[in-house]
Amino acid sequence: MALDRTTGGLALIAIAAYGLFAALWGVAPVVDHPLSRDPATIAAGKYLAAAGDCTSCHTAEGGETFAGGRPLATPFGTIYSANITPDPKTGIGDLNSARFYQLMAYGADSPLDPLYPAMPYTSFHNVTREDSDALFSYFMSGPAVEQPATPNEMSFPFDIRPLMFAWDFLFASRKPFEKTPDKDEVWNRGAYLVEGLGHCGECHTPRNAFGAMENSKSLKGAVVGDFEAPDITPSALDGRGWSREDLVLYFETGASPRGSAFGDMFLAVKKSLHLLTHDDRMAIATYLMDVGGSQPSKGEAVVAKLGDDAHENRSGRVLYLSNCSLCHGPNGQGVEATMPPLAGNATLAQPDGVNLIKVMAQGLDPQRVSLTLAYGPMPAFRDRLSAGQMADLANYVRSVFATNGDDLPKLGAEEVSRILR
Ligand code: HEC
Ligand code: HEC
Ligand code: HEC
């Protein structure tokens, strides 16, 4: 009895404290703008939806476009995306532009019903109100699909949705995007896309124990699913041999002199970056490669180094020639539009070697970005090579093909086993 009273009392205090907190912090009030049915606005919204890759998350495999229900695995449970078609009962048909903006930018249109940050409002707060309104026009112009939400499978206490409001208070920014005055328009456009709709940091920025992006390490690399989304800050990209032109090509086609996009990055290219204008891809590359000066492609320097045939790592060289050179070429040159080059490949230049080892062990599925560009599968070598052989092979390809080969640490069999565990 006494215990019940204590528990009850504590619960009351918690509810009162929460109520006070919600009332004080609240959801920033936003004015409603009338819904535009102007075809130009709808077209602008469609483009912005591609830049935000709304399709990937909001369409289930084999499901109706934007009707939601796609499972997103998080360390705290599985979240199912929402139906964002204009159906008034199960979709967003009952929203207005103000509530749509609050959901996009703050992840909540009421303190009692916040979204989980699986929806990247943690990046979308950088989206302007004008762009949010255009997105709303686009989504409201599409076909309404009646499809009720799939219940989430979150572990306690994360299944208590209102708690997310406290999470937002601690970790989510509500600050709108601000231009950096001493940078030009192209750079600022790139910053807007990368930090906002492009939500690159959601994969490329490391997270803390509460699953929030660590802003002090913005874009410094993180593990997402099978692979590592590498450090894409300017000096890191520069160190791995990227130029602006390489990046623009990579975003357009999924392939470049620095190698091809795979895993989640392949999807980001195919569903989003590939659909952007050349100018926007250039803006993104300009922002990412903000290292100043001209940036010559470093591919040629790498090929020149290959003239030397006698190599100290004989085992690695023999393994390369017998297992890899058939597809990637004896000089690592690859085959145009069919096999990515390994000479100058940025995956080889990542210091920890995680993606290189994982790709080698697990292989990659075939990929087609465009009509003219299709990669066949990359075979898995897990059952054909020992950890020691993979280490020799990795050390060999890194030393002869990576633009920063001389600076990379040597990998051992134990590290290979650890990466694959
Ligand atoms: C990384 C995955 C992801 C991306 C990308 C994404 N969303 Fe979401 N979105 C979600 C998830 C998951 C939810 C449901 C969250 C929840 O239930 O708390 C959601 C919820 C929403 C909601 C709230 C719906 C409602 O009725 O409460 C809106 C609106 C929305 N998203 C719009 C968008 C738009 C517009 C874009 C593209 C600019 C977008 N989302 C991109 C994952 C995503
Ligand atoms: C049968 C042909 C084939 C063989 C053999 C092969 N690869 Fe690949 N490899 C590919 C293809 C195709 C891709 C691109 C796959 C994609 O992006 O979908 C690829 C991708 C890669 C990548 C990822 C980098 C990038 O830019 O996509 C690495 C690293 C790699 N291969 C290393 C190796 C190594 C090391 C060997 C030998 C152990 C090897 N490959 C053997 C065909 C092959
Ligand atoms: C859903 C997760 C995800 C999102 C979102 C994402 N990336 Fe990636 N990215 C990855 C992964 C995983 C890799 C590693 C695989 C590869 O190299 O293709 C990668 C690789 C890259 C690379 C190649 C780096 C190298 O040296 O090989 C670049 C450049 C890049 N991403 C830029 C971006 C930009 C710009 C955005 C935002 C517009 C973005 N990414 C959004 C997951 C993501």
Side-chain angles (χ1 to χ4, degrees):
M1 205 54 199
L3 187 76
D4 276 357
R5 228 182 253 170
T6 320
T7 321
L10 282 177
L12 268 181
I13 292 172
I15 291 169
Y18 182 80
L20 186 69
F21 164 69
L24 284 178
W25 190 53
V27 167
V30 172
V31 285
D32 186 31
H33 296 164
L35 172 68
S36 164
R37 300 261 181 213
D38 175 16
T41 309
I42 292 173
K46 182 177 179 178
Y47 181 81
L48 295 164
D53 202 5
C54 319
T55 343
S56 280
C57 287
H58 282 280
T59 308
E61 237 181 283
E64 303 268 1
T65 308
F66 298 133
R70 180 174 153 198
L72 295 162
T74 77
F76 314 104
T78 302
I79 301 174
Y80 292 85
S81 62
N83 179 345
I84 54 169
T85 71
D87 183 58
K89 263 211 333 258
T90 62
I92 59 166
D94 63 333
L95 296 186
N96 57 24
S97 74
R99 288 178 59 202
F100 182 83
Y101 177 73
Q102 286 173 322
L103 289 164
M104 282 282 293
Y106 312 143
D109 59 352
S110 113
L112 288 176
D113 198 20
L115 297 177
Y116 286 107
M119 161 74 182
Y121 59 86
T122 35
S123 298
F124 290 170
H125 65 88
N126 281 314
V127 176
T128 61
R129 176 68 197 270
E130 192 189 352
D131 281 356
S132 169
D133 285 356
L135 280 162
F136 187 56
S137 289
Y138 168 62
F139 284 107
M140 291 303 277
S141 75
V145 179
E146 192 181 328
Q147 181 175 299
T150 315
N152 295 329
E153 293 142 18
M154 300 296 282
S155 56
F156 181 80
F158 304 100
D159 52 346
I160 307 172
R161 206 179 252 282
L163 275 185
M164 283 299 119
F165 204 57
W167 188 95
D168 290 345
F169 179 71
L170 294 172
F171 302 119
S173 168
R174 289 178 170 183
K175 247 179 66 194
F177 178 76
E178 272 172 30
K179 284 189 181 176
T180 304
D182 58 338
K183 298 287 185 183
D184 63 14
E185 277 303 309
V186 176
W187 187 98
N188 274 298
R189 173 71 181 165
Y192 176 69
L193 288 169
V194 167
E195 307 297 341
L197 281 171
H199 64 278
C200 316
E202 300 284 338
C203 290
H204 285 274
T205 299
R207 293 179 185 271
N208 66 17
F210 299 96
M213 287 186 282
E214 294 185 67
N215 291 330
S216 61
K217 299 185 187 152
S218 180
L219 302 181
K220 284 208 153 296
V223 176
V224 276
D226 252 4
F227 294 112
E228 210 167 75
D231 187 339
I232 53 168
T233 54
S235 58
L237 286 172
D238 187 51
R240 298 198 300 271
W242 288 96
S243 67
R244 258 192 304 268
E245 287 65 32
D246 294 336
L247 283 174
V248 170
L249 199 62
Y250 179 83
F251 297 149
E252 183 189 351
T253 66
S256 78
R258 303 289 144 251
S260 76
F262 52 88
D264 283 335
M265 192 59 205
F266 172 72
L267 292 175
V269 168
K270 183 168 181 156
K271 301 269 179 75
S272 178
L273 292 159
H274 170 62
L275 302 171
L276 300 187
T277 60
H278 178 80
D279 284 355
D280 274 349
R281 283 192 284 264
M282 183 51 104
I284 292 174
T286 301
Y287 174 64
L288 291 179
M289 289 296 300
D290 185 17
V291 281
S294 72
Q295 295 150 356
S297 210
K298 290 182 183 159
E300 275 170 37
V302 175
V303 175
K305 232 168 61 175
L306 281 175
D308 187 11
D309 236 29
H311 201 272
E312 52 184 18
N313 181 351
R314 260 197 71 79
S315 153
R317 182 168 171 82
V318 170
L319 286 166
Y320 179 76
L321 292 174
S322 52
N323 289 291
C324 324
S325 68
L326 195 66
C327 294
H328 291 291
N331 295 328
Q333 73 276 25
V335 179
E336 177 91 50
T338 318
M339 301 290 168
L342 291 189
N345 195 303
T347 297
L348 273 45
Q350 287 159 26
D352 62 14
V354 168
N355 283 357
L356 167 61
I357 298 294
K358 286 196 165 178
V359 166
M360 222 195 288
Q362 302 166 6
L364 291 169
D365 291 335
Q367 292 175 355
R368 172 182 290 279
V369 175
S370 64
L371 281 176
T372 48
L373 193 103
Y375 286 140
M378 149 93 195
F381 287 89
R382 178 184 269 127
D383 301 330
R384 284 189 253 172
L385 300 174
S386 68
Q389 286 176 315
M390 281 195 231
D392 284 352
L393 191 39
N395 290 332
Y396 175 73
V397 293
R398 275 150 68 97
S399 73
V400 299
F401 295 139
T403 47
N404 55 352
D406 297 337
D407 310 331
L408 291 170
K410 294 278 175 278
L411 301 170
E414 321 75 54
E415 267 155 310
V416 169
S417 305
R418 188 180 41 77
I419 290 170
L420 295 178
R421 208 173 294 132

